[in-house]
Amino acid sequence: MLQIIANIRSRYRWALLAIAILSTAAALLMQYLFAIQKDESLVINIAGKQRMLSQKIAWYSNIINDSHKLQQHPKYKEALENAVTEFQQGHQFLTKQDQQGHYLYLNTELEDHYFSMPDMLAIQSEQYILTAQQILKQSESNIANLHIFSLDEAELLLTKLDDAVTLFEQQTTHKVALISYLELSFWLLTLLLLMIELKFIFQPMERQIIATLNKYQQQKKYAEQISQNKERFIARTSHEFRTPLQGLMHAIDELEVNTAQQAVKQQAQYCANRLINMLDELHEAQLINKGLWQLKLSRANVLDSLQSVVNSYQFACTQKQLALFINLSPELDCDVELDHPRLQQLVGELLSNAIKFTDKGNITVSASIHKMQQLHLTVSDTGTGFLGDSPAFFLQNETQQNHFQGLQMGLSRVQNIVSAQQGDIEFLSNKPYGAKVHVVLPVKVANAGDETQLPVNLHCLVVEDNPLNAMILGRILAELNYTYDMAENGLIATDKVTESQYDLIFMDLNMPVMDGFQAIKVIRQELKSQVPIIVVTANTSTADLEKTYELGVNNHVYKPINAEYIKKALIEAVKG
């Protein structure tokens, strides 16, 4: 693309340069034409004035010779002197030569008219001047004896001067016509150049741009297809991982072990949670890339949220022989409205990186609520630490260790979570060694009377093709004192909705026979049922989830599920 832009720029510059040169030449020709017209007008004006001066010279000479007006002789003598001077100056101007001896204002015809037989205008004009000067030099007593200009002489000179004026006018007309032809030629040349530019510069440029745009359009479509395939792959992979993880986590939770085997159970819980965190991380990376990432506020006990995530890292610390100090203030034991899963992700990322880069010593997690308005969270370690007040320096240096590696999305997730909740985060050096991360999040502590109660006496329909997932969800509903029916696919579910009355439907999406999309469409559009539907799925595709909401879904929960997720979904569905 840069090569195309450079090629276009080069061609465009050459085209502009050519147009600029021709435009400048045309402008200079116009200025030259105006200068010629000005000079030629002066020449023609002087040549025309010569005719008038020749007549004045003859007239004043005859008046001076008239004996009846001798008393006015000084007055007319002065007028004659002025006329002679002007006539002589005009003659000298018209016959001026340059240093090489070329006449400035006379072409070949005018030179013949002035200096060749039979006209000899220059010689006759000079004789005329000489005669007038002799009259001016004589005294009054001798004037009467001088030869005075006859009518024929004056008429002959006037005729030749008229011919000179005509020749000067013809010369000027010829020059103006020549310049006009040149100007027209430049104009036609400019048009020709524009046509050449259009054919050989702009049209090829247009074709090249169109071809390039088509190429990039195809590449864009290909990239979009790749992106869609990647999204489907990640969604499918997530689905295939989350489904067995549901069973694994359920088995771990139900496993009864003695004290000696408790560490093994913690290890299994830690590994399962890490897998879920990585799946969530991939899913949120997709949301961030698409600009769809946003908070999901919910109300829950912040102490429980923090303890559940911090306790799951006890095994990892024990495995590296690190001490894990947990300082959670008692005032955290209250319901707070914020995005609890994202808070747990934030704490998990900070703990994971602290454990990864701490080889000995301890890790400390502290949290408290200040003035019932701000949640203060600090994670510190005695590891390698970092220079300055931000780990961003190390992200650009592969030779350095830093506190945010893993899938290379941890820092991005932490910053997004903190920024979305309008909080602050500080990266500090934990002197004498190690690192400290301090997070402040604004929170809204819920009043006891504001708690939204779970609905009671619900009769639910669980639509799930996996028996283990269906059993886990059924057990959660039973603990909530809800009754439920099971359906293995969407077709059976639609039949049951037709036959029975349900207060709530839990719908899986990927099922045989009839999937969840089609089942939701039938329930909403054909059966006209408005029963609340909560999607329970391992499918994290944003496009698929948007489709379910367009079909009329009320809420969704990602697998693997637990009682808290189901309760939150129920409360939100009731609010809706």
Side-chain angles (χ1 to χ4, degrees):
M1 188 63 183
L2 293 177
Q3 182 62 35
I4 296 295
I5 294 174
N7 191 15
I8 291 174
R9 186 185 296 117
S10 176
R11 293 187 179 188
Y12 190 65
R13 285 175 177 173
W14 280 112
L16 288 179
L17 179 62
I19 293 175
I21 291 173
L22 287 177
S23 300
T24 303
L28 292 175
L29 277 175
M30 289 292 294
Q31 293 297 322
Y32 181 58
L33 176 62
F34 293 148
I36 286 178
Q37 289 177 337
K38 181 179 178 180
D39 292 342
E40 296 298 326
S41 297
L42 177 62
V43 171
I44 293 173
N45 183 48
I46 292 175
K49 193 174 181 180
Q50 291 294 91
R51 297 180 300 182
M52 178 193 70
L53 290 173
S54 67
Q55 295 178 18
K56 289 177 68 174
I57 290 171
W59 185 54
Y60 286 131
S61 297
N62 284 289
I63 289 177
I64 290 173
N65 192 44
D66 191 346
S67 59
H68 296 89
K69 298 182 180 180
L70 285 177
Q71 64 276 13
Q72 298 180 0
H73 176 264
K75 173 183 176 182
Y76 290 107
K77 187 174 182 180
E78 182 181 357
L80 175 61
E81 185 177 1
N82 291 336
V84 172
T85 300
E86 287 187 52
F87 186 82
Q88 186 178 17
Q89 290 175 349
H91 178 70
Q92 291 174 350
F93 175 81
L94 295 175
T95 58
K96 186 185 298 184
Q97 294 176 301
D98 58 18
Q99 295 179 352
Q100 287 76 29
H102 301 133
Y103 292 100
L104 296 178
Y105 306 113
L106 303 180
N107 58 14
T108 303
E109 293 179 350
L110 283 167
E111 286 184 24
D112 292 340
H113 184 62
Y114 269 85
F115 302 105
S116 300
M117 295 293 292
D119 295 322
M120 302 292 289
L121 177 59
I123 295 176
Q124 188 172 352
S125 297
E126 291 169 358
Q127 290 177 348
Y128 203 75
I129 294 169
L130 182 61
T131 300
Q133 288 175 343
Q134 289 176 353
I135 294 174
L136 291 172
K137 290 178 181 179
Q138 297 299 321
S139 62
E140 294 182 4
S141 59
N142 295 327
I143 289 177
N145 298 323
L146 289 176
H147 171 72
I148 305 301
F149 300 110
S150 65
L151 180 61
D152 292 337
E153 289 176 331
E155 185 68 27
L156 179 61
L157 180 61
L158 180 62
T159 300
K160 293 182 179 180
L161 290 173
D162 282 338
D163 293 338
V165 170
T166 301
L167 291 174
F168 277 117
E169 289 176 345
Q170 291 176 354
Q171 176 182 257
T172 301
T173 302
H174 176 72
K175 289 182 179 180
V176 171
L178 179 61
I179 298 299
S180 298
Y181 290 145
L182 287 175
E183 186 179 1
L184 179 61
S185 299
F186 272 98
W187 180 71
L188 293 175
L189 185 60
T190 303
L191 290 181
L192 179 61
L193 179 61
L194 289 175
M195 294 178 64
I196 292 174
E197 289 177 352
L198 179 63
K199 182 174 180 59
F200 295 102
I201 296 180
F202 291 107
Q203 286 184 349
M205 187 189 305
E206 181 183 8
R207 288 193 295 268
Q208 191 173 15
I209 292 173
I210 292 174
T212 304
L213 290 177
N214 290 336
K215 175 183 176 182
Y216 280 101
Q217 189 67 25
Q218 292 175 355
Q219 292 179 348
K220 179 184 176 182
K221 290 180 179 179
Y222 180 73
E224 289 174 349
Q225 183 65 41
I226 293 295
S227 178
Q228 292 175 1
N229 292 340
K230 182 183 71 173
E231 181 182 354
R232 293 193 191 100
F233 173 77
I234 293 175
R236 188 63 185 175
T237 302
S238 175
H239 179 273
E240 294 302 319
F241 275 103
R242 288 175 187 272
T243 299
L245 273 174
Q246 176 72 76
L248 177 62
M249 293 185 67
H250 176 73
I252 294 172
D253 291 338
E254 294 296 318
L255 187 63
E256 295 183 1
V257 297
N258 55 36
T259 305
Q261 294 176 321
Q262 193 65 34
V264 178
K265 182 176 180 179
Q266 288 181 349
Q267 180 182 12
Q269 288 175 331
Y270 172 76
C271 293
N273 287 331
R274 288 298 296 158
L275 285 173
I276 293 173
N277 287 338
M278 284 190 286
L279 291 174
D280 290 339
E281 194 170 341
L282 287 173
H283 175 58
E284 294 203 353
Q286 284 186 300
L287 295 179
I288 292 172
N289 290 335
K290 290 187 173 184
L292 300 176
W293 191 94
Q294 59 184 0
L295 292 175
K296 296 179 182 178
L297 300 179
S298 61
R299 178 173 161 174
N301 187 285
V302 68
L303 182 60
D304 293 341
S305 296
L306 291 174
Q307 283 180 334
S308 63
V309 64
V310 173
N311 290 338
S312 66
Y313 284 87
Q314 182 65 60
F315 169 77
C317 290
T318 302
Q319 194 176 38
K320 291 190 70 173
Q321 297 181 348
L322 301 174
L324 177 61
F325 299 123
I326 305 173
N327 300 321
L328 301 181
S329 177
E331 69 256 19
L332 293 171
D333 190 11
C334 61
D335 286 348
V336 171
E337 186 173 336
L338 53 75
D339 192 330
H340 287 267
R342 298 282 170 63
L343 173 63
Q344 291 175 326
Q345 291 173 6
L346 184 151
V347 176
E349 290 294 344
L350 297 179
L351 281 172
S352 295
N353 287 282
I355 292 171
K356 180 180 292 186
F357 297 103
T358 301
D359 296 326
K360 61 181 179 178
N362 61 75
I363 295 172
T364 303
V365 180
S366 303
S368 61
I369 290 183
H370 287 204
K371 299 180 180 180
M372 307 300 286
Q373 293 179 341
Q374 289 182 331
L375 173 63
H376 286 244
L377 173 68
T378 302
V379 177
S380 59
D381 60 62
T382 58
T384 56
F386 46 78
L387 298 176
D389 57 359
S390 173
F393 169 79
F394 294 100
L395 291 176
Q396 299 175 358
N397 190 342
E398 296 180 358
T399 65
Q400 298 283 344
Q401 289 184 333
N402 62 76
H403 278 255
F404 294 91
Q405 290 187 352
L407 294 179
Q408 296 295 330
M409 301 177 199
L411 180 59
S412 177
R413 294 178 75 196
V414 169
Q415 290 176 330
N416 275 320
I417 292 170
V418 173
S419 177
Q421 301 198 61
Q422 298 180 340
D424 294 314
I425 184 169
E426 288 183 288
F427 301 93
L428 306 171
S429 178
N430 191 23
K431 295 180 180 180
Y433 42 76
K436 178 189 292 185
V437 182
H438 183 65
V439 178
V440 178
L441 298 177
V443 296
K444 180 180 179 182
V445 178
N447 297 323
D450 295 339
E451 184 177 356
T452 303
Q453 299 295 327
L454 283 171
V456 297
N457 300 325
L458 295 184
H459 182 49
C460 306
L461 174 62
V462 177
V463 188
E464 172 64 64
D465 64 320
N466 187 290
L468 178 60
N469 291 338
M471 180 193 70
I472 294 171
L473 181 54
R475 183 173 296 179
I476 294 173
L477 296 178
E479 290 175 356
L480 297 175
N481 294 321
Y482 296 162
T483 59
Y484 60 91
D485 292 335
M486 293 287 187
E488 297 176 0
N489 57 61
L491 182 61
I492 296 175
T494 56
D495 292 339
K496 285 183 175 292
V497 171
T498 303
E499 298 168 357
S500 304
Q501 184 72 28
Y502 294 101
D503 300 309
L504 190 69
I505 299 176
F506 292 91
M507 180 73 70
D508 187 21
L509 293 180
N510 300 96
M511 297 178 292
V513 184
M514 179 185 288
D515 60 23
F517 300 100
Q518 187 63 31
I520 296 169
K521 183 176 180 180
V522 171
I523 292 171
R524 289 288 189 250
Q525 298 180 10
E526 296 183 15
L527 302 181
K528 305 298 182 182
S529 174
Q530 297 303 316
V531 58
I533 300 176
I534 298 176
V535 168
V536 182
T537 181
N539 185 350
T540 59
S541 171
T542 304
D544 288 345
L545 284 177
E546 289 177 354
K547 182 179 179 181
T548 62
Y549 280 101
E550 290 175 0
L551 291 173
V553 163
N554 300 88
N555 206 345
H556 73 276
V557 178
Y558 288 127
K559 297 175 184 177
I561 60 172
N562 56 36
E564 289 301 318
Y565 290 164
I566 297 299
K567 288 178 182 179
K568 291 175 183 177
L570 283 168
I571 291 174
E572 292 176 5
V574 170
K575 287 182 179 179

